Amino acid sequence: MKNEKVAIFWFRRDLRLQDNTGLYHALSGEEKVQPIFIFDEEILSDLKNKADARVSFIHQNLSDINESLKTKGTSIKVYHGKPKEVWKQIVEDFKVHSVYSNRDYEPYAKERDEWVRKFLNAKDISFYSFKDQVILEPGQVLKDDGTPYLVYTPYSRKWKSVLQKNQLESYSSALRFDGWNPSEFKPPTLNELGFELTNIEIPSSKLKDEILEAYAEERDFPAKGSTSKLGVHLRFGTVSIREIATRAKEKSEVFLNELIWREFFMTILNYYPDVVSNNFHRKYDAVRWRNNEEEFQLWCEGKTGYPLVDAGMRELNQTGFMHNRVRMVVASFLTKHLLIDWRWGEAYFAEKLLDYELSANNGNWQWAAGTGVDAAPYFRVFNPSEQIKRFDKDYQYIKKWVKEWNTDQYPDPIVEHKMARNRALDTYKNALS
Ligand SMILES: Cc1cc2nc3c(=O)[nH]c(=O)nc-3n(C[C@H](O)[C@H](O)[C@H](O)COP(=O)(O)OP(=O)(O)OC[C@H]3O[C@@H](n4cnc5c(N)ncnc54)[C@H](O)[C@@H]3O)c2cc1C
């Protein structure tokens, strides 16, 4: 095997065989294709929870891919380590002709890929990367003067006009692995990776027509469960964005608009990587966060005495998901009512959300805190009780997640709404003055 030149296909956040752009191009070349995956120690070592559902999700999907590949006479080689070390090993293990992958726009991934590109090029190995996780990537939707949009609505208008000129291609006819009977690679077990199985369930990757049809009317009501729950699948590429966007285009413009928010925040992160640790608008650096650790803990546990906030946090803790409307409410509550730095909330979400995505999480947290691009103005402070009247008026969602609500066991509010609202307004005003 080592004597035969191969093209490597490097799976990352594109864990599917169907409609996978980079894989399609790898398979269209002359060389036989060897798929690989790297469990990246740089990322895994930061995860606190050994039963992290996202790791078992990746692991399960790799096993499924491997089973399919075996029927085609090949298998995926799974590595575990720091990518720079692993790549040195890969070029030992195989006679590599070229490497194919799909592009990733996060700062860490861009830096990693640049290193890999240089490393391979120095060995006369080509590194090809393709657009796959988005419909339109950063750089394809820019203002006429060539700069990125900082406001969603004109961005989305331009996005739609650019899309009209580009067909939504599909790469699903791609699976032409030629059987070449390599030794069968056995992926490491979860335990070998230092992780354990979780009992958190992953939502289905099927997008039902009924979801799209009712989306515009029902998406804001958490008790209805009428959103797609595709976030985790879009994150890891277990569904194709092209397939989802094609269906959204046919059936629900409102849903399509949400997919465009996803690409808007990816574009912001791509051009303004500083947002990872800083306010997009630096004038908010002067906000004096209270950062009370006990209050933060009560927020995390869903014990603030504000039932919609508590229901959301408990849903998150128990399932790894939280409805978007409720995410907005809990984020506004943390940053405005408690005056806790949005970065604390962002980090907690990053640990817990199955669909955690750096660009969307950061963009939405900064939106809620009023510090981001196209953010809610700082003086918009959600009233958590009013939000119940509008979006959970029968307390269905609250009763599901906060069993002791309306009993003696349920805590009093940790902060009084009117006082907290005024305190937030004063704090922001002072920062800007
Ligand atoms: C504080 C806060 C943090 C968030 N963190 C994340 C995150 O880490 N990862 C994440 O994918 N989304 C995040 N969102 C956005 C949104 O809440 C989730 O995408 C959505 O709730 C996921 O559920 P769904 O798949 O059922 O979404 P649906 O309503 O079915 O939407 C379909 C898809 O559109 C995209 N989308 C929808 N709303 C947004 C949005 N506001 N911004 C960007 N993309 C969007 C997602 O990919 C989503 O899966 C956050 C929102 C808030 C307010």
Side-chain angles (χ1 to χ4, degrees), residues 16 19 21 29 87 104 108 116 151 174 178 218 260 269 274 283 291 293 300 314 331 363 373 421:
R16 65 187 189 285
D19 195 18
T21 322
W87 272 105
D104 189 327
Y108 167 76
V116 172
V151 180
D178 303 318
E218 298 195 345
I260 300 175
L269 179 62
D274 267 9
K283 63 183 176 187
N291 289 349
E293 295 197 12
C300 292
R314 294 185 198 189
V373 273
R421 180 173 187 280

Side-chain angles (χ1 to χ4, degrees), residues 207 211 215 219 226-235 241 244 255-265 321-332 345-346 349-350 353-368:
L207 175 57
I211 294 280
Y215 191 76
R219 72 193 170 118
S226 310
T227 65
S228 71
K229 295 203 170 177
L230 279 181
V232 60
H233 297 287
L234 290 167
R235 172 70 186 94
I241 183 65
I244 302 302
F255 190 85
L256 184 67
N257 290 339
E258 298 302 332
L259 299 178
I260 300 175
W261 269 107
R262 174 176 173 269
E263 299 194 1
F264 175 65
F265 284 133
F321 180 81
M322 191 195 306
H323 186 275
N324 178 60
R325 167 61 44 185
V326 192
R327 291 188 203 198
M328 293 196 283
V329 172
V330 305
S332 172
E346 184 199 22
F349 270 32
L353 277 177
L354 289 174
D355 63 32
Y356 166 59
E357 173 88 70
L358 174 57
S359 54
N361 199 38
N362 181 278
N364 280 288
W365 269 99
Q366 294 223 38
W367 179 90

Side-chain angles (χ1 to χ4, degrees), residues 146-165:
T147 60
Y149 284 97
L150 302 184
V151 180
Y152 169 78
T153 305
Y155 170 87
S156 69
R157 248 185 259 124
K158 183 69 165 267
W159 191 100
K160 286 174 187 168
S161 81
V162 174
L163 183 64
Q164 272 187 348
K165 293 181 204 128

Side-chain angles (χ1 to χ4, degrees), residues 231-383:
V232 60
H233 297 287
L234 290 167
R235 172 70 186 94
F236 294 108
T238 41
V239 293
S240 150
I241 183 65
R242 289 175 290 284
E243 185 196 319
I244 302 302
T246 304
R247 293 192 44 212
K249 251 178 103 199
E250 284 160 11
K251 294 224 179 280
S252 171
E253 174 138 24
V254 179
F255 190 85
L256 184 67
N257 290 339
E258 298 302 332
L259 299 178
I260 300 175
W261 269 107
R262 174 176 173 269
E263 299 194 1
F264 175 65
F265 284 133
M266 284 183 174
T267 304
I268 295 297
L269 179 62
N270 181 71
Y271 287 107
Y272 302 93
D274 267 9
V275 294
V276 172
S277 37
N278 292 303
N279 294 313
F280 180 86
H281 290 297
R282 299 301 294 263
K283 63 183 176 187
Y284 291 100
D285 289 0
V287 171
R288 290 172 66 101
W289 303 110
R290 290 175 58 250
N291 289 349
N292 179 307
E293 295 197 12
E294 270 168 41
E295 290 179 1
F296 180 65
Q297 199 51 37
L298 292 171
W299 177 84
C300 292
E301 290 171 14
K303 294 183 181 161
T304 66
Y306 280 91
L308 191 53
V309 174
D310 294 345
M313 296 309 292
R314 294 185 198 189
E315 181 183 25
L316 176 65
N317 291 333
Q318 287 172 43
T319 67
F321 180 81
M322 191 195 306
H323 186 275
N324 178 60
R325 167 61 44 185
V326 192
R327 291 188 203 198
M328 293 196 283
V329 172
V330 305
S332 172
F333 186 82
L334 186 79
T335 54
K336 308 277 173 66
H337 284 72
L338 301 183
L339 277 170
I340 291 178
D341 193 329
W342 58 265
R343 281 160 280 227
W344 292 29
E346 184 199 22
Y348 191 73
F349 270 32
E351 194 187 318
K352 296 281 174 185
L353 277 177
L354 289 174
D355 63 32
Y356 166 59
E357 173 88 70
L358 174 57
S359 54
N361 199 38
N362 181 278
N364 280 288
W365 269 99
Q366 294 223 38
W367 179 90
T371 61
V373 273
D374 201 8
Y378 78 81
F379 46 82
R380 180 162 169 211
V381 179
F382 279 35
N383 178 332

Side-chain angles (χ1 to χ4, degrees), residues 43 50 85 99 158 182 228 270 315 382 388 398 407-408:
I43 298 173
K50 290 302 148 208
E85 299 308 315
V99 174
K158 183 69 165 267
S228 71
N270 181 71
E315 181 183 25
F382 279 35
I388 298 175
I398 287 169
T407 71
D408 293 350

